[in-house]
Amino acid sequence: MKPIGVFDSGLGGISFLREAVALLPEESFIYYGDNKNAPYGDKDEATINRLALSCAKKLFDMNVKAIVVACNTATGTAIKSLREKFNIPIISMEPAIKPACEKKGSGKILMLATHTTTHMERYIRLRESMEDPARIIDVACPGLADRIEHSVFDEDAFDDLLSGYLRPYEGMQIDSIVLGCTHYVFIKDIIKRYADMHFSGDATIFDGGLGTARQLDRVLRQNSMRESEKAHGDIRFFTSGDEKTLLPIFDRLLYGNM
Ligand code: DGL
């Protein structure tokens, strides 16, 4: 059976891959990180669109049966053209504001994402479709995905950036924090610690990884593409960046010691 292709601007999409592998262990995956061009979040939409198309083309040429855009930024700009161009299922990734809004509370919801995602028409429409959109505060985090690309294992590397983005909300009641960028999931504990120290309330952290993995499962079943339960999938990594440095990092992010 064919593998499933997954791509992101860099290593962020591996946070989705962890969920997907746990949920669908029979499936094989090819992960492509466009690290050479990361971060996408500070690029214009036409450039992101072009880069996303090129990632998808690489995966398509490797004969994948479906593609997951494990990048909120690329989903917002490119999902339509990807679906027009490739005749296989393309699964998208969106900030998990829906489950965050379903958790009732009188406080606010912070949605952390790249600058591009917070300004995207697709995201703004999603936010407006929530019952109480005024509860959601969008927090653009320029530079954060890039810092994670370069310092993902360094716990102390994020304090300056986080306090820059989050200081305006200090003391406020924050019910939930949505990680609207797949990179941010790797510093989830650091964000939670910051929230516990600086906000009132016990903020729950949401990300779209598991929801997207479940959606992938649904789409594969609808298309009769699910691998047999007896199979044992494998995972292959590719990057547009320096393979010698990055492939061991991908491996560590997927398999452990986090
Ligand atoms: N990981 C990506 C996302 O989910 C984008 C990060 C970036 O390249 O700026 O939005």
Side-chain angles (χ1 to χ4, degrees):
M1 278 289 259
K2 293 179 177 183
I4 297 155
V6 179
F7 78 87
D8 177 46
S9 63
L11 53 79
I14 295 172
S15 63
F16 157 77
L17 190 60
R18 285 199 304 209
E19 303 283 0
V21 169
L23 188 72
L24 313 168
E26 320 76 37
E27 299 292 341
S28 291
F29 292 89
I30 297 180
Y31 184 84
Y32 181 72
D34 192 11
N35 302 72
K36 193 173 98 178
N37 296 303
Y40 282 4
D42 59 5
K43 295 185 166 54
D44 61 78
E45 295 202 12
T47 307
I48 301 170
N49 203 32
R50 181 175 53 74
L51 292 170
L53 281 171
S54 141
C55 293
K57 168 95 171 60
K58 284 198 173 71
L59 291 167
F60 187 78
D61 290 346
M62 287 190 244
N63 206 18
V64 295
K65 62 183 174 187
I67 292 176
V68 181
V69 185
C71 176
N72 297 265
T73 310
T75 291
T77 51
I79 197 71
K80 204 164 156 265
S81 35
L82 290 171
R83 287 188 172 137
E84 277 162 14
K85 189 129 191 145
F86 301 102
N87 61 347
I88 54 173
I90 310 275
I91 289 91
S92 63
M93 179 118 209
E94 271 174 344
I97 53 175
K98 198 162 172 264
C101 288
E102 281 162 4
K103 186 194 153 200
K104 297 286 169 227
S106 53
K108 297 283 188 191
I109 296 165
L110 298 182
M111 199 294 287
L112 276 49
T114 64
H115 175 84
T116 314
T117 297
T118 58
H119 287 78
M120 259 173 218
E121 217 186 293
R122 187 182 163 96
Y123 166 68
I124 292 168
R125 253 189 282 122
L126 175 72
R127 191 188 59 203
E128 292 312 308
S129 71
M130 298 296 119
E131 208 180 281
D132 183 6
R135 247 185 110 200
I136 304 167
I137 301 173
D138 296 331
V139 184
C141 303
L144 187 55
D146 195 38
R147 182 75 61 86
I148 294 169
E149 277 285 306
H150 296 103
S151 309
V152 65
F153 300 118
D154 180 359
E155 282 222 8
D156 301 322
F158 303 99
D159 295 345
D160 59 330
L161 289 181
L162 289 181
S163 61
Y165 311 133
L166 299 174
R167 197 177 302 124
Y169 314 106
E170 268 188 31
M172 274 172 67
Q173 185 181 332
I174 304 298
D175 295 332
S176 304
I177 298 177
V178 177
L179 306 180
C181 166
T182 50
H183 280 72
Y184 303 172
V185 179
F186 290 120
I187 61 160
K188 182 177 174 166
D189 294 347
I190 301 171
I191 293 173
K192 174 67 177 152
R193 211 176 308 137
Y194 185 97
D196 289 344
M197 278 168 70
H198 299 278
F199 305 142
S200 79
D202 181 19
T204 307
I205 314 276
F206 289 90
D207 73 74
L210 181 58
T212 307
R214 287 189 178 133
Q215 175 63 8
L216 170 63
D217 183 22
R218 271 192 295 273
V219 172
L220 293 177
R221 283 179 198 282
Q222 281 159 8
N223 289 277
S224 309
M225 283 179 172
R226 274 291 263 123
E227 187 56 82
S228 115
E229 275 169 25
K230 286 191 218 92
H232 184 75
D234 60 35
I235 294 141
R236 282 181 289 154
F237 288 125
F238 294 88
T239 174
S240 58
D242 177 31
E243 291 189 353
K244 234 174 100 203
T245 339
L246 288 163
L247 297 188
I249 295 178
F250 286 6
D251 217 66
R252 185 168 161 199
L253 290 173
L254 182 65
Y255 294 110
N257 306 328
M258 286 298 298

